[in-house]
Every structure is written in structure tokens, then in C-alpha cells.
Amino acid sequence: MQARTARGKIAPQRARVHHERGPYVFENRRHRVPSSNAARCVLPREQGEYAIRGVEVLPRIAIVTPARAGTRTGNRHTAVRWARLLRAAGHAVTVATEWRGERCDALVALHARRSHASIARFRAARPDAALVLALTGTDLYRDLAISAEARASLELATRLVVLQEDGRRILPRRYRARTHVVYQSAAEGPPRAPPRRRFRVVVVGHLREEKDPFRAADALAHLPERDDVEVVQVGEAMSTAMAREAAARAAREPRYRWTGGTPHARALAWIARSHLLVVSSVMEGGANVIAEAARIGTPVLASRISGNLGMLGRGYPGYFPLGEAAALARLVRRAADDPAYYARLARATRARRALFHPRAEQRALVGAVRAALAAAQRR
């Protein structure tokens, strides 16, 4: 199994292993498994060679999300990112909008109500298999109270996932023991470079009712004397009415700018080039933009709702009452004028950074999936 190079060193060889789910190819030095194969192999070195001692076939995972490929919704981004993290852990993963009987060892479903048909179909076909249900903001803060399908999905799941720590508190007590917290992660992001002559506030996200997107723009009316404060709105309008509203505000308020939809890298650049990020949402399952701001180091001002409390912590010093533009304006003014308060916001934001590291998300996600698999085996 050895081959020598011109210098006499042992060149990397490949061992081909035939298995009922194979064949799989393992390299004798790096012994990496291609991400398309659900297997791992330990190749201990013996007398200059690697001997194959055994093959551990990792479970195959199907992820379903109601968000179609190509859409720019948070659910789709989460599904794609989770697929990447699970593949990096050695699992074979598929992503689809519904489950139609494809072979898999575990189903991970995003959205209790909108994925209910897939959840029910999977449980009927595989009554003892592992099923992980990730609860979105609309699940936690709207659908569970009004949708029988959403509540039925909880009953069918082996394990539940919430995207921030306060989400577990919102659930009925009987579900909490099998609920895992998986914070969404973000990359490090570009270096911070806020402007020196202006105090810039950025709002990042699609313009839709659940985001209360114009609350930061409304705050400008409570800061009439502050020509140095500006609000930049980054995000695609999800309706014609929202687009008209944003354009009209930009026309009458010189301190307000709407960029429209932008590539993700440019949105991150806006966060890095701003003094504050405002998250004014009415409901949030766990705003990934908070993770992005924390990883970059930009302080956050956020509406005091459960989803934001779960991301930033109950003691975070940058909350304002939901929908109150005057209260938000007071915090913006304080952050602009009081270096000690701004530094406190920055420290509190940095303190949450480790929660949003990709490795932390991968550990939590893999832990939830494997806990569901273990529970399914005990049935």
C-alpha cells in the first residue's frame, strides 16, 4: 500500500472501502471523508502504513425548510448553514422544502406550522426515527397559540431547538427538558470603521411588519437638533407599500437613507461602518443580525422583546420599549454623547461574542441531532 516519491518519502495513498452505503475513499495521511459521504474511518499507523480498522457510518440527515432555494429569508440561510456545519461534522445532509420519503436517519425541520406536513409524513413513515424541530420566531410568538398544526409538530418531535435562551422559557414546561438552544453564528466580519464626523445608526433586515422597520427613522423626529445623527436602512422591501414608505421617508428626511436590498457582504460592511445597530422587531426567533454585529463589535440597541432578550441577555443596557421611538431616540442621544455609556454597550455586546462563534453553533447543533438519535434508539 506504499508508494515512494523521488526523495524516498512515502506518498499519500488511498484505500477504497466497500460498504453498503459506499464505496468510500479515505486518504492515508489526512484520512478525510468527502463531504458527500456519511462515514468516518480511523486509520492508525502501523509500520509506515495506515491500516483500516473499522468504518463508522454517520447518520444521514434531511433538513426541510419552507423557504425555497434562492430565497433570501432567514429560514433558508439557517438551513443552508446548518447543512454545512453538519457536513463538516461528517454527516451526509440534504436540504429541501419538504420531505417526500427520501432515505435518511434523522429529519431536521424548520418551522412547526409551515413544515407540519413533512413532519407528520415523516413520523407516520418512521414512528421511531429521530426528528428535530427548530422553532422560528413566528412559531414561538404567534403560531403555537393559534395553530393546531404547530402544536402537533411539537408533540411529534424527538427534540426541539430554539435559537436563543429565552425561547425555552416561552415553551410549556413539559417541552423544556428536550429543548436545545442553538445560537445562530456569524463569521468575524470586516473591521470596524464608523465615520468620525457623523454618528451613524444602521438598521439591517427585510422591510416587513414583524421587523417594525421604520422605528429608527421615526426616532430622528425626536432628535431635530442633531444634524450629526443619520440612519441607514439596509434591506429589501417585502411589499410595494413598504418600498413606497421607505422612498418617501428618504425624500423628506435628509438624515435617512434607504439602500434597498444589498449583498450580504455589503450589509456586513454597513454594520462595521456604523456606531450602532438598531433591532426594533416586534417578534424574533433569534436575530442573526445581532450575532453579526456582536462578532464585528458594533453595539446594539434593541426592542425589549423575548427574542432580543434571549440573544443579548436580560442585563443588556441597550433595550427600549417596543414601538417607542422617543425612548429609542434617548438611547441614541446618550450613546452619541456619553462615551462611558457607549463603552458599556460595546463591552456588553462583546461579552456575547463567544455564543455566536461558528464552532459553538456546530457543537450545539450536532449535540441536538445526536441527542435525538440516541433518544430514538432507546424507544
Side-chain angles (χ1 to χ4, degrees), residues 322-346:
L322 177 64
E324 294 194 14
L328 173 57
R330 287 193 293 272
L331 291 182
V332 171
R333 181 185 287 110
R334 185 180 177 189
D337 295 342
D338 184 348
Y341 175 65
Y342 187 80
R344 184 181 168 205
L345 283 175

Side-chain angles (χ1 to χ4, degrees), residues 94-176:
T94 60
V95 179
T97 55
E98 58 183 314
W99 186 78
R100 296 184 176 181
E102 297 84 356
R103 186 179 177 185
C104 64
D105 300 297
L107 180 72
V108 176
L110 279 72
H111 210 297
R113 179 181 62 82
R114 295 178 64 194
S115 293
H116 174 71
S118 292
I119 291 168
R121 193 180 303 125
F122 180 81
R123 183 52 79 218
R126 306 283 303 281
D128 296 324
L131 197 165
V132 178
L133 171 59
L135 299 170
T136 66
T138 50
D139 285 329
L140 283 171
Y141 304 113
R142 186 184 67 194
D143 289 348
L144 289 178
I146 63 175
S147 170
E149 288 185 339
R151 293 191 295 271
S153 293
L154 264 67
E155 295 294 337
L156 295 174
T158 314
R159 287 290 185 271
L160 303 173
V161 164
V162 292
L163 303 180
Q164 37 77 19
E165 61 194 13
D166 206 56
R168 183 155 44 195
R169 182 186 63 82
I170 295 297
L171 288 171
R173 288 185 180 275
R174 66 181 183 277
Y175 297 119
R176 295 176 191 173

